[in-house]
Amino acid sequence: LQGPDADADALERLQTAAHPVTVTKMVATLLLPFLRRVALLLNLQYGLDVAREAPWLQAERLQALGVGDHGAQVLAQSEPECARLLKLLNLPGLHQLFDPAQQPGTLPLVEGWLRELRMFRRRHTSPMSLGAGCTMAIPIAMPTLYSLVELPDRFEVLFERSAKAFCPRCNGVPSDPALCLLCGSFVCAQSFCCEEDGVGECNMHMKTCGGTVGVYLLVKKCGLLLLHHDNGCFMSAPYLDQHGEVDLGLKRGRPLFINNTRYEEMRRLVLTQKIPVFIARKIDQAFDIGGWVSL
């Protein structure tokens, strides 16, 4: 994305390297959340149920009702969801959009998007902009279920992985490894080897990964570290022993197993963007002297 010539070369390489079906499926997957929102907006704002008022669905609905109890499954499996929503919204199909003969203005439109993306990235080159997530002109909604990093069922497996992990900044084994639950990277927690101007690697990694929010699992302490700007708090990890008790600091030495319910609560906390509120409440309940930037 350096200039018009580089953009043309990149598009040509994409055309020769990627199969058209693969590109179509990728675009359909990324477009699906937007089409769902448009259909919901029509229903909520104008009360228009496009699924019932589409005339081309009448024959298909009658066929599905004639099957019996499996009519809903036949209706749902007759066509991909993206293609059905495009028809319901009276929009052209993806194959028509990718056909230069039917859509002659597609190529100039894409070139305009690339120019805007280059201008956007040139304006947002500061560390603050990159930390806030200003790396793309148009953020793409995640088409799948948002989830944190998949953790092993047994805690000793995670402990062994952390002993073999390498820190991307100092290229060494972290003395106090912290697993970022947003991307799965191991970083050094409160270590002088990666500290810059009093800022620890967890805070530096947060700016490039989670923006203003960081969620880390401190392996050797069996605890969670939550960060937001210059504040933070600790909480117990989603690993429990056979009696359902936490082992903060690994003082008991009992085998620990993951508790999916507790981990799901953490996922919802991140998904609903309640980490800042949770940290603020923790700070109000205890005497906090700060120092979270050094982590």
Side-chain angles (χ1 to χ4, degrees), residues 15-37:
Q15 185 178 1
T16 57
H19 196 275
V21 177
T22 304
V23 178
T24 305
K25 289 184 178 180
M26 181 184 66
V27 174
T29 303
L30 297 176
L31 186 62
L32 186 58
F34 174 75
L35 295 177
R36 290 172 176 171
R37 293 170 185 170

Side-chain angles (χ1 to χ4, degrees), residues 111-160:
E111 292 177 351
W113 291 342
L114 294 177
R115 286 195 300 268
E116 293 178 359
L117 182 57
R118 284 197 304 272
M119 295 174 58
F120 183 87
R121 288 183 172 177
R122 290 171 184 171
R123 290 195 302 264
H124 297 82
T125 57
S126 63
M128 184 177 297
S129 298
L130 296 177
C134 297
T135 57
M136 295 185 61
I138 302 176
I140 300 177
M142 190 171 185
T144 58
L145 183 65
Y146 183 82
S147 60
L148 301 178
V149 174
E150 184 178 359
L151 297 177
D153 295 336
R154 300 179 65 92
F155 182 77
E156 55 264 27
V157 176
L158 179 62
F159 197 89
E160 294 177 359

